[in-house]
Amino acid sequence: MASDSARAAVLRQALSIGVATGAYGISFGALAVAGGLTVPQACVLSLAMFTGGSQFAFVGVVAAAGSAGAAVATAALLGARNGFYGLQMARILRPRGSRRLLTAHVTIDETTAVGSAQAAVHPDRPDLARVGFWATALAVFALWNAATLLGALVGNALGDPRRYGLDAAAAAAFLALLWPRLATGSTRLVAAGAVLVASVLVPLLPPGMPVLAAALVAVVAGWREPAAARSVRS
C-alpha cells in the first residue's frame, strides 16, 4: 500500500506540472503566429524543439526580423542547459539503445526536476525517479503541444496567459519541487547564490541568459566540493 501511495503521489505531481507548464503553451502558440510563423510551423517547433525557453527565444528573434541563423543560435544557447540535465539524468535513468534519443528529447526543466527530486527524496526507490521523469514527460509533451495548437489557432484572442497567473503557477510548481532538496546549509547557500546572480543579471541580459549564469553557481560549487574533500583526506 505504501508503494502504491508513493507512486500515486508521483503521478499526481507529474500531472500538476504538466498542467501548469502545458497551459502556458497557449502563449507560445499565439506569439509564434503573431511573430510570422504559420500554425503548422508553430506546432512542428513544439514537437521537434520541445524546450519552452528556447522556443520563445526563437520566436522572439524571428518576430524582431532577425535571421534564421540568429534565431537558431539563440535557441541553442538557451537549450544548452538541457545538456547538463542529460548528464544528471543519465546516471538516474540509465537509458539504453534507441531509448537514449527519446530520453534526450524529453529531458527538460520539468522532467529533470521531478525525476531528480524523487531520486533525492527516495534514494531507495529508483523506480519512482523513472516514473516521475516519464510521467512528467508524457504530461508536459501532450499538454504543451495541444496548447501550442490551441494558442496558434486562436491567436491573441485569449490575451497574455500571465494575466491569469499561469506563469506564476509554473514557477510555484518548480519551487515546490526544489524546496525539499534544500535540506543542508550548503544546498541553501548554493540556491541563495544562484538567486542573487539571476536577480542581478535579469535587467542586464537577454531572457534565459540569467538562468544559465545562475546555473554556473551550482557548477562551481560542485567543482569546489570534491576539491575540498580531497584536501581534507590528504
Side-chain angles (χ1 to χ4, degrees):
M1 181 64 69
S3 175
D4 292 342
S5 176
R7 190 181 184 92
V10 174
L11 293 175
R12 287 194 299 270
Q13 184 182 67
L15 180 59
S16 66
I17 294 293
V19 171
T21 305
Y24 206 56
I26 296 174
S27 178
F28 170 73
L31 291 173
V33 172
L37 272 65
T38 65
V39 172
Q41 286 173 334
C43 292
V44 168
L45 197 60
S46 278
L47 286 168
M49 187 176 288
F50 188 54
T51 172
S54 296
Q55 292 180 226
F56 278 106
F58 183 92
V59 169
V61 174
V62 170
S67 66
V72 171
T74 303
L77 180 61
L78 293 181
R81 68 189 187 281
N82 293 346
F84 295 105
Y85 296 160
L87 295 175
Q88 177 182 4
M89 296 311 300
R91 295 193 297 268
I92 298 173
L93 301 175
R94 300 186 182 279
R96 296 180 179 180
S98 60
R99 196 168 187 175
R100 291 181 178 180
L101 294 177
L102 178 60
T103 304
H105 187 57
V106 296
T107 299
I108 56 175
D109 299 304
E110 293 81 4
T111 55
T112 301
V114 177
S116 60
Q118 291 303 320
V121 176
H122 301 286
D124 57 329
R125 293 287 308 277
D127 59 303
L128 293 181
R130 291 191 291 269
V131 168
F133 179 90
W134 287 110
T136 305
L138 178 61
V140 174
F141 189 84
L143 294 174
W144 176 264
N145 282 281
T148 295
L149 175 60
L150 177 61
L153 290 174
V154 301
N156 293 321
L158 295 179
D160 190 339
R162 285 176 292 187
R163 294 170 50 192
Y164 310 109
L166 295 180
D167 57 333
F174 274 121
L175 180 59
L177 289 170
L178 176 65
W179 192 259
R181 305 197 65 178
L182 303 180
T184 65
S186 60
T187 56
R188 287 192 288 268
L189 184 61
V190 171
V195 169
L196 178 62
V197 169
S199 299
V200 170
L201 295 179
V202 162
L204 303 176
L205 297 179
M209 294 301 296
V211 176
L212 293 177
L216 292 178
V217 175
V219 173
V220 172
W223 281 339
R224 288 178 61 85
E225 185 173 345
R230 286 194 298 270
S231 65
V232 169
R233 287 196 299 269
S234 61

